[in-house]
Amino acid sequence: MRLGKPTRLGGGLFLLVLVTLGLILPTYWVYLLSTVAITAIIARSIGLVTHQAGIITLCQMSFAALGGWAVSWLDIAWPTAPFPMLVLIGGVVTAPVGLLIGIATTRVRGVELAVVTLGFATALDLVLRQGSFPGVGEGTPVIPSAPFDDPRWFFALAWALLIVLQVGIATLSRSVHGLGWTAVRVSERAAAALGVRVGGAKSSAFALGALFAGIAGGLLAGQYGLLTTAVFTPLTSMVHLVTAVLCGASIFGGAVLAGLFVVFIPELLRRIGLPLDAANTLLALGAFDVLRRGGGGLVEKLNDQLQERAFRNTRVTCQLSPVRDERLQADAMQPDGAALQGETVKHQTLRVACLHVDSLTVAFGDHRVLEAVNLTVEHEEVHALIGPNGAGKSTLVDAVTGFLPSCEGRVSLDGKPIERFGPRERARLGIRRTFQYVHAIDAITVENYLKLAAGAAGAERIPAVRELLDLPDGGVPIRLMDVGSRRILEIAGALASKPQILLLDEPAAGLGEAESRALAERVRQIPAVFGCAVLLIEHDMGFVRVASTRVTVLDDGRLLTSGPVSEVLDDPRVIAAYLGQETAS
Amino acid sequence: MLDGIISGLVSGSTYAILAVCVVVLYRLVGVLNFGQAALGALGAYVCYALVGAEVSLALAVFCGLAVASVTAGFSGWVLARWLGEPSAIVRSVGTVVLLILLLTAGFRLFGDSPRAMPSLVPEAAFDLGGVRVSLSTVIALLVTIAIAGALSLLLRYTQLGIRLEAMSERPLTVQLLGVNSRQLAVAVWAATGLLSTLAMLLIAPTRNPTFESMSFLVVPALVAGLLGAFSNVWIAVASGLAIGAVEGAGARIEGLADYRGAIPFAIIIVALIWLRRREVWDAAR
């Protein structure tokens, strides 16, 4: 990413201050500041696992203990090795442990996962208490190899590692994989619908978090010489968690602030003669206050405010205007459209429908939500699916996109059966959907959302999508957008992934009359511009008339009728179903 | 081995009662309480401090139960007052805060050295098919089953139970119907504080734990609750007892005895891989 001028300036100043402090401060303070860097690495690992991936971790200090153990052991077994290398090895051997926990708990989420991490922390604490760290029994401390036995060099090493790790994680967070963490935190369902590997994202967050904490633990071994289990108890993991929450450790500044708090609050208490454990109380109460206010930790909130100010004069909504019809038609003849015509010919020779649903039956307990429903969506049509509330429309979308654990019947895409695939595979095959409740990830920018949704395949389509749906500037954070615009952004993301078929679940909900009509026109153009079919669920019949060519009507889980829009919408049975009459006479 | 299993049932009962508290609180109030055992530890330690100051056992127990209930009720009020709206995850971090505060306070008040704890149950034991069964094991089991049974009946058949279930399903709707959900939440919290203290008084004489080690008895309880997906009281009870029994058996095995505290983690990992072998998706569309 290009660094903005203020960022570069701030970074330069920060480095200058660090170097100056490292050179002029007395050794004691240099030592304390090294601990700040180490603690900041731990805080940043919590920022990754908890703030970014949404997993409450109560075992980060246990990972640190593993790194510390490894470095203590290596220092004895391999005394000639340079200390930084030992520290890195400590991190690298810890990462697989995190990965294993992540893989074992792929299907566990939320507070349940917190219980697993606490279980790990207490179990490891117990195992460590049985033995002790290598070298402790014999009284041989870890002595970092020269020049890192000098506190000032150690200081340089600790801060350099923190900065390198931060740059690495910040870069990764902007990649498709890293954006997946945020997607998983917001909603695993929506993440899978975007083609994100949910288990993979959680495991990699755990593994990287363990890597960070392991490195921090290795540094601690070098700093303390002899490690004790008291440094790595479940309680210290908890204190680090609440401090990360308090400061907002998903941001570099927040992690550094967490380090400063953990190191200097007890130092201050000591100097004014108060008991040191009051620090835990202060940090815990501070975290509670942050939770009570909502909106993230101290530095995260500051960052949000700066962002809001930066985008004060920028358009943050999708402004769909109904005037650009002809130009879009012309766009359809551009390269994208040409490629599409080739595809059309291919499909005509194959003569298969885009999406074919055959006698789909879904039952929740005794209640049949869908009963033997057939539905065919041809290539390049907008097919509306309507019916009263509770008719089973969204259930059908869930079944087609692979979110239902069990359903009978056949679903095929382009003639190829897809029942055995999960939601992510189906998304990768080209079935994309939007949700009734907006799941656009509010913590990231428009540009990053499109990148995540498009995946590797669709980057070149993003400009066309932006133009069709009048998206705001790519740097705009999604949290500044209104609900209607987020809904349109979700459609944009789905389109950017070059889907075969797009399933829109009530796209016009939350839009005003004029916007809704403008969106209907855009949806009508989707097949021509992007060469993909659309299955549209919508209650607004005006929207359906404008956008779609054919309609299927569901009533109480059964197929009522299907056909061209004008015929079906004037069918007395359809009117009756909507008005709730017994029969229409 | 069988001796070990039987003697482990006392710990198992404590885990089971704590697990019931955790499950009930999660189901009704939507809070996963990491501080559950610490609340019980507070009550138990108040009781032992008073016994140490020559107060009669009955009065000391009463005071312990009262302190734990009031503290739990107050914690519940604070969480409902300030963290009522946010997600279950945020509320659970709130209980991590509670645990840190209780641990700090406990360390201040009671220190970190274990102390001798008088048993509420007279020392007695009898033979059952060649296995030595102590009276405290029997009492612990009976108390556990009585608590779980009474709670199930309460939730299913009384007006209060129906209100509580409704509150957990649709808190806002229930509030609009004129039920004071915050009061109910506080009451549930206070009740779990009381029961947790009871659980601690059962286990304490067999282990003489420190305040901190008592507080971390929440881990086997949470594991037991998780096996019942934090919704089924009886699975939680059975799991709690089973964890106690396995630990008891482990205590008799050479080489494993020192590590038996790690058993809950092993159980949870294996159980979760098996229980969650099928894909289930999170919340609403």
Side-chain angles (χ1 to χ4, degrees):
Chain A
M1 195 187 82
R2 295 159 284 128
L3 287 176
K5 221 176 191 173
T7 320
R8 245 182 304 170
L9 195 66
L13 264 178
F14 177 73
L15 279 179
L16 193 69
V17 169
L18 261 187
V19 172
T20 317
L21 288 178
L23 288 173
I24 63 164
L25 282 179
T27 323
Y28 177 72
W29 290 92
V30 170
Y31 179 88
L32 284 185
L33 282 177
S34 306
T35 321
V36 169
I38 297 171
T39 317
I41 295 176
I42 293 188
R44 188 62 188 86
S45 80
I46 297 174
L48 165 64
V49 179
T50 300
H51 293 68
Q52 287 179 252
I55 302 162
I56 301 178
T57 165
L58 299 173
C59 65
Q60 246 20 48
M61 286 312 278
S62 309
F63 290 136
L66 291 175
W69 203 97
V71 169
S72 303
W73 186 83
L74 284 167
D75 191 61
I76 295 168
W78 187 14
T80 53
F83 180 67
M85 193 158 92
L86 296 187
V87 170
L88 288 181
I89 295 175
V92 170
V93 299
T94 309
V97 181
L99 187 66
L100 275 180
I101 295 180
I103 290 172
T105 56
T106 301
R107 305 260 162 88
V108 186
R109 59 178 71 91
V111 288
E112 299 187 334
L113 206 41
V115 172
V116 176
T117 62
L118 180 62
F120 173 65
T122 46
L124 190 78
D125 185 48
L126 193 119
V127 172
L128 287 174
R129 275 170 205 267
Q130 293 306 319
S132 60
F133 284 91
V136 171
E138 305 81 43
T140 43
V142 176
I143 299 169
S145 62
F148 300 104
D149 51 348
D150 178 84
R152 290 180 203 282
W153 276 99
F154 192 90
F155 168 90
L157 174 67
W159 282 93
L161 276 174
L162 169 64
I163 290 167
V164 167
L165 290 175
Q166 164 63 26
V167 170
I169 200 67
T171 310
L172 198 55
S173 299
R174 286 187 299 267
S175 71
V176 171
H177 186 89
L179 291 167
W181 294 325
T182 319
V184 167
R185 186 196 68 211
V186 173
S187 160
E188 290 187 7
R189 197 180 264 267
L194 288 173
V196 172
R197 208 188 286 271
V198 173
K202 289 204 280 195
S203 305
S204 72
F206 256 123
L208 280 173
L211 174 82
F212 276 44
I215 287 175
L219 284 170
L220 279 178
Q223 202 180 24
Y224 293 166
L226 296 173
L227 290 175
T228 60
T229 51
V231 182
F232 305 107
T233 58
L235 177 61
T236 44
S237 286
M238 289 183 186
V239 171
H240 280 280
L241 172 73
V242 296
T243 313
V245 168
L246 165 64
C247 300
S250 62
I251 297 174
F252 180 67
V256 172
L257 186 67
L260 289 170
F261 277 179
V262 167
V263 173
F264 285 106
I265 291 179
E267 180 68 17
L268 189 72
L269 291 171
R270 191 175 64 80
R271 285 176 184 243
I272 58 177
L274 285 174
L276 299 191
D277 52 2
N280 291 352
T281 311
L282 282 174
L283 293 170
L285 289 175
F288 184 82
D289 190 53
V290 159
L291 292 177
R292 181 178 69 81
R293 288 163 196 269
L298 298 174
V299 176
E300 286 166 337
K301 217 173 270 175
L302 181 72
N303 196 48
D304 284 356
Q305 276 165 7
L306 291 176
Q307 248 178 5
E308 263 155 54
R309 189 171 304 172
F311 288 101
R312 206 169 29 192
N313 299 320
T314 315
R315 175 170 70 87
V316 294
T317 53
C318 302
Q319 279 171 348
L320 295 180
S321 48
V323 288
R324 307 189 317 165
D325 231 357
E326 294 107 65
R327 224 181 77 215
L328 282 164
Q329 294 291 1
D331 280 350
M333 296 300 131
Q334 296 301 304
D336 219 337
L340 142 92
Q341 282 170 356
E343 276 177 44
T344 318
V345 173
K346 190 183 79 192
H347 291 314
Q348 276 168 353
T349 52
L350 287 171
R351 284 179 184 279
V352 284
C354 181
L355 178 75
H356 189 66
V357 174
D358 190 15
S359 60
L360 181 72
T361 299
V362 177
F364 295 147
D366 291 337
H367 178 55
R368 294 206 159 186
V369 184
L370 289 175
E371 188 151 13
V373 172
N374 299 320
L375 175 73
T376 304
V377 181
E378 300 293 342
H379 288 281
E380 286 166 56
E381 71 164 340
V382 176
H383 192 117
L385 181 63
I386 64 171
N389 281 326
K393 305 183 296 293
S394 290
T395 305
L396 188 133
V397 172
D398 276 352
V400 169
T401 47
F403 282 101
L404 292 183
S406 64
C407 52
E408 292 165 41
R410 280 175 297 283
V411 182
S412 55
L413 179 72
D414 240 346
K416 188 178 152 199
I418 55 164
E419 298 95 5
R420 65 196 169 87
F421 294 118
R424 181 185 158 270
E425 288 81 13
R426 294 191 200 194
R428 291 271 159 121
L429 285 173
I431 301 182
R432 290 285 174 139
R433 68 174 294 182
T434 64
F435 291 85
Q436 246 177 53
Y437 297 101
V438 186
H439 284 307
I441 307 153
D442 55 358
I444 63 176
T445 61
V446 169
E447 185 183 7
N448 282 340
Y449 181 81
L450 292 175
K451 192 158 89 181
L452 171 67
E460 78 265 25
R461 188 180 268 188
I462 290 175
V465 174
R466 302 183 69 107
E467 194 179 348
L468 178 76
L469 294 168
D470 280 306
L471 298 184
D473 181 75
V476 170
I478 295 176
R479 65 188 174 81
L480 300 180
M481 297 169 71
D482 60 73
V483 175
S485 299
R486 290 184 197 194
R487 210 175 266 285
I488 293 169
L489 178 63
E490 264 194 83
I491 300 173
L495 277 175
S497 73
K498 296 193 173 171
Q500 303 257 26
I501 181 163
L502 179 58
L503 292 86
L504 301 176
D505 201 348
E506 299 195 21
L511 294 185
E513 177 72 26
E515 277 176 306
S516 169
R517 204 45 45 95
L519 181 62
E521 282 167 18
R522 300 298 199 284
V523 170
R524 180 164 54 110
Q525 291 158 354
I526 286 175
V529 180
F530 295 104
C532 99
V534 177
L535 180 66
L536 166 74
I537 294 182
E538 189 48 67
H539 281 300
D540 178 350
M541 287 308 132
F543 194 107
V544 170
R545 275 181 203 277
V546 172
S548 48
T549 42
R550 287 200 305 147
V551 184
T552 293
V553 187
L554 281 183
D555 186 24
D556 203 17
R558 288 188 186 111
L559 188 75
L560 194 64
T561 178
S562 187
V565 175
S566 49
E567 275 175 37
V568 171
L569 292 191
D570 296 333
D571 185 332
R573 286 177 305 158
V574 175
I575 297 168
Y578 260 91
L579 297 180
Q581 291 164 359
E582 288 295 309
T583 47
S585 46
Chain B
M1 179 67 103
L2 203 56
D3 278 336
I5 291 177
I6 297 294
S7 69
L9 284 180
V10 178
S11 313
S13 301
T14 300
Y15 304 159
I17 296 173
L18 286 173
V20 167
C21 292
V22 165
V23 168
V24 165
L25 203 57
Y26 188 69
R27 240 173 78 176
L28 300 182
V29 190
V31 177
L32 189 70
N33 189 4
F34 286 96
Q36 193 68 61
L39 288 168
L42 181 69
Y45 258 86
V46 165
C47 170
Y48 296 130
L50 289 175
V51 169
E54 316 265 307
V55 176
S56 76
L57 184 61
L59 184 61
V61 169
F62 175 80
C63 289
L65 293 174
V67 167
S69 305
V70 170
T71 311
F74 178 70
S75 315
W77 181 79
V78 169
L79 282 177
R81 165 77 180 75
W82 278 297
L83 299 184
E85 294 293 310
S87 65
I89 292 215
V90 169
R91 284 196 293 262
S92 303
V93 178
T95 70
V96 172
V97 167
L98 172 68
L99 175 56
I100 293 174
L101 295 178
L102 284 173
L103 281 171
T104 315
F107 181 76
R108 279 280 119 214
L109 293 172
F110 309 112
D112 63 349
S113 50
R115 56 177 79 195
M117 295 165 184
S119 177
L120 299 186
V121 182
E123 283 295 328
F126 52 92
D127 265 338
L128 193 77
V131 180
R132 198 93 183 121
V133 181
S134 75
L135 185 60
S136 53
T137 307
V138 177
I139 301 265
L141 278 177
L142 286 178
V143 169
T144 307
I145 290 167
I147 288 174
L151 276 173
S152 317
L153 290 178
L154 180 89
L155 289 183
R156 195 167 304 167
Y157 295 113
T158 65
Q159 179 76 27
L160 178 68
I162 292 164
R163 281 187 177 188
L164 287 168
E165 286 282 7
M167 181 176 88
S168 67
E169 295 256 316
R170 293 279 164 85
L172 195 64
T173 316
V174 173
Q175 212 146 24
L176 292 175
L177 286 172
V179 176
N180 188 337
S181 65
R182 200 175 292 165
Q183 238 170 41
L184 282 178
V186 169
V188 175
W189 269 86
T192 64
L194 187 136
L195 293 177
S196 308
T197 305
L198 207 61
M200 290 304 171
L201 291 174
L202 282 175
I203 199 178
T206 65
R207 289 199 182 183
N208 295 333
T210 63
F211 189 88
E212 188 180 351
S213 62
M214 232 185 212
S215 301
F216 278 101
L217 292 181
V218 77
V219 176
L222 286 168
V223 167
L226 179 49
L227 293 177
F230 293 118
S231 63
N232 190 318
V233 169
W234 289 105
I235 294 181
V237 167
S239 309
L241 289 173
I243 292 171
V246 172
E247 275 184 21
R252 304 293 163 98
I253 298 171
E254 195 78 25
L256 190 67
D258 288 338
Y259 299 102
R260 63 183 188 280
I263 287 172
F265 179 63
I267 290 180
I268 194 67
I269 288 290
V270 174
L272 281 177
I273 291 174
W274 171 248
L275 289 172
R276 306 291 165 87
R277 60 197 180 281
R278 286 184 63 177
E279 200 157 44
V280 177
W281 290 96
D282 54 343
R285 28 175 106 101

